[in-house]
Amino acid sequence: MIAPSILSADFARLAEEAAAVAGSDWLHVDVMDAHFVPNLTLGLPVVQSLLKATDIPLDCHLMIDNPGRWAPPYAEAGAHNVTFHAEATDDPIAVARDIRAAGAKAGLSVKPGTPIEPYLEILKEFDTLLVMSVEPGFGGQSFMAEVLSKARAVRKLVDSGELTLLVEIDGGINTDTVEAAAEAGVDCFVAGSAVYGASDPAEAVRALRAQAASASPHLTLAH
Ligand code: DX5
Ligand code: ZN
């Protein structure tokens, strides 16, 4: 699955920018609050408008403090996934349950320096694990391959039937890095600059998807 990140789109033309990636699996929406991360982007009002402007399921990535207070409204608004950061709360299970109760899929995200082991036990409360492969806050940064060990560890648990969840990766995904992530067992690839920086964003999505599929051990097995 490919999730173009509108962080790299033109914020004055979000409806057209969503239409430019028609056929994407999810549209990734980076919510930043200038507290959890140094940058500031958009919030619930923009997500509510975007929900009316596109049929692509919205994958909301909340890089914000206090997700217990702010995450459930994104689910109530109709976001498909609501992902928050493990580092931003002491009670990730409660936040995940509130998101699910409000009708969305719940996602847990970890920064590059955050180990996954302390969270393995609670991943059953989640639908998605979002592994950050850059420091959250900005698009256009370089991929950190060392985070792939987290994707591999969780992929093993999924393959053995211990867990049911999607492994998603975010940051620096492009034609040079997507295959390594696919080989590590990633299911869903967020791509901002590699999609919206391309002359044909929809074609960039198709190319990334084809490249990921050909490198995915998972899909090869299924064939
Ligand atoms: C970074 C965001 C990413 C960003 C990725 O904090 O979470 O979703 O848009 O951008 P690229 O693909 O350019 O690294
Ligand atoms: Zn993101």
Side-chain angles (χ1 to χ4, degrees), residues 92-175:
I93 295 179
V95 184
R97 289 182 179 170
D98 285 350
I99 290 169
R100 282 177 159 180
K105 307 276 186 195
L108 185 72
S109 184
V110 285
K111 294 198 218 181
T114 302
I116 194 65
E117 288 74 18
Y119 298 101
L120 292 177
E121 277 293 307
I122 66 160
L123 284 180
K124 58 182 180 301
E125 303 278 344
F126 290 86
D127 303 287
T128 304
L129 172 71
L130 178 61
V131 177
M132 289 303 301
S133 40
V134 297
E135 285 302 330
F138 300 92
Q141 304 181 74
S142 299
F143 183 70
M144 298 166 74
E146 59 268 31
V147 306
L148 290 179
S149 56
K150 293 187 238 184
R152 279 188 211 100
V154 174
R155 177 87 252 156
K156 253 192 203 163
L157 298 175
V158 172
D159 286 346
S160 68
E162 283 167 70
L163 268 180
T164 306
L165 102 169
L166 291 170
V167 182
E168 186 177 10
I169 197 152
D170 184 7
I173 291 293
N174 55 39
T175 53

Side-chain angles (χ1 to χ4, degrees), residues 5 28-30 61 63 130 132 170 190:
S5 169
H28 186 83
V29 180
D30 288 306
H61 176 196
M63 286 161 275
L130 178 61
M132 289 303 301
D170 184 7
V190 176

Side-chain angles (χ1 to χ4, degrees), residues 2-95:
I2 307 293
S5 169
I6 56 160
L7 183 61
S8 295
D10 179 350
F11 274 28
R13 299 169 44 251
L14 286 180
E16 291 159 56
E17 295 283 63
V21 295
S24 297
D25 301 281
W26 295 340
L27 192 62
H28 186 83
V29 180
D30 288 306
V31 175
M32 304 187 193
D33 66 351
H35 289 270
F36 181 74
V37 288
N39 202 1
L40 180 67
T41 53
L42 53 84
L44 188 59
V46 176
V47 167
Q48 286 167 328
S49 295
L50 201 49
L51 281 162
K52 290 183 220 150
T54 182
D55 293 333
I56 307 174
L58 297 192
D59 178 34
C60 292
H61 176 196
L62 308 185
M63 286 161 275
I64 62 171
D65 282 342
N66 198 2
R69 164 70 182 83
W70 300 108
Y74 289 85
E76 284 155 21
H80 181 74
N81 295 316
V82 180
T83 294
F84 61 93
H85 270 266
E87 304 86 357
T89 175
D90 293 334
D91 197 352
I93 295 179
V95 184

Side-chain angles (χ1 to χ4, degrees), residues 148 151-152 155 177-186 189 212 214-218:
L148 290 179
R152 279 188 211 100
R155 177 87 252 156
T177 57
V178 69
E179 288 177 6
E183 281 162 14
V186 169
F189 305 81
S214 67
S216 165
H218 215 54

